[in-house]
Structures are given as C-alpha cells and as structure tokens.
C-alpha cells in the first residue's frame, strides 16, 4: 500500500472554526484519509477548506495535485 500524508495549519476565525472539509477530485472525503481504490487512475486535486460556526467557508488557497496509479 502507498500512503500520502497531508497536513495543514489550523484555521482560525472570530466565530470559531467548526469543521474542516477535504475534497479529492471535487468529492468530499474524510480528512483523516480516503480510499483511492474506487478512483480511476489519473491526476486528482486535493483541497481543504474550513467552515466556521456561522456557516462561512474559506476558499481553498492552495491545492495539492496527486497522480493515482493502480499499477501491476
């Protein structure tokens, strides 16, 4: 198995950050990790956004591009 570990600085805001949302190829996934076996080979983008208690969300300021390959 291959594993990629991502980390980011905690978001702060005057209302308080309530959740962090992670998206891989536009699909919301568990920020602790996601199963790539259901994904097709290719290039995917990973984005992280924070949502505060008032429902306001950040825009992803950076994204990570990962190449997936289930190679024999």
């Amino acid at each position: 198995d291959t594993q990629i570990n991502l980390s980011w600085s905690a978001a702060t805001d005057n209302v308080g950050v309530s959740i962090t949302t992670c998206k891989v190829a536009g699909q919301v996934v568990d920020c602790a990790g996601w199963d790539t076996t259901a994904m097709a080979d290719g290039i995917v983008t990973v984005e992280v956004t924070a949502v505060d208690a008032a429902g306001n969300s950040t825009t992803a300021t950076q994204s990570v591009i990962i190449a997936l390959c289930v190679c024999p």
Side-chain angles (χ1 to χ4, degrees), residues 10-45:
T12 58
D13 138 317
N14 65 336
V15 181
V17 173
S18 57
I19 62 170
T20 302
T21 303
C22 295
K23 290 183 180 180
V24 175
Q27 298 177 9
V28 176
V29 297
D30 182 353
C31 289
W34 62 90
D35 182 6
T36 60
T37 58
M39 303 180 106
D41 289 355
I43 306 269
V44 296
T45 301

Side-chain angles (χ1 to χ4, degrees), residues 23-68:
K23 290 183 180 180
V24 175
Q27 298 177 9
V28 176
V29 297
D30 182 353
C31 289
W34 62 90
D35 182 6
T36 60
T37 58
M39 303 180 106
D41 289 355
I43 306 269
V44 296
T45 301
V46 179
E47 297 179 329
V48 179
T49 57
V51 181
D52 69 13
N56 302 308
S57 66
T58 62
T59 53
T61 56
Q62 295 181 341
S63 58
V64 176
I65 298 173
I66 298 172
L68 296 176

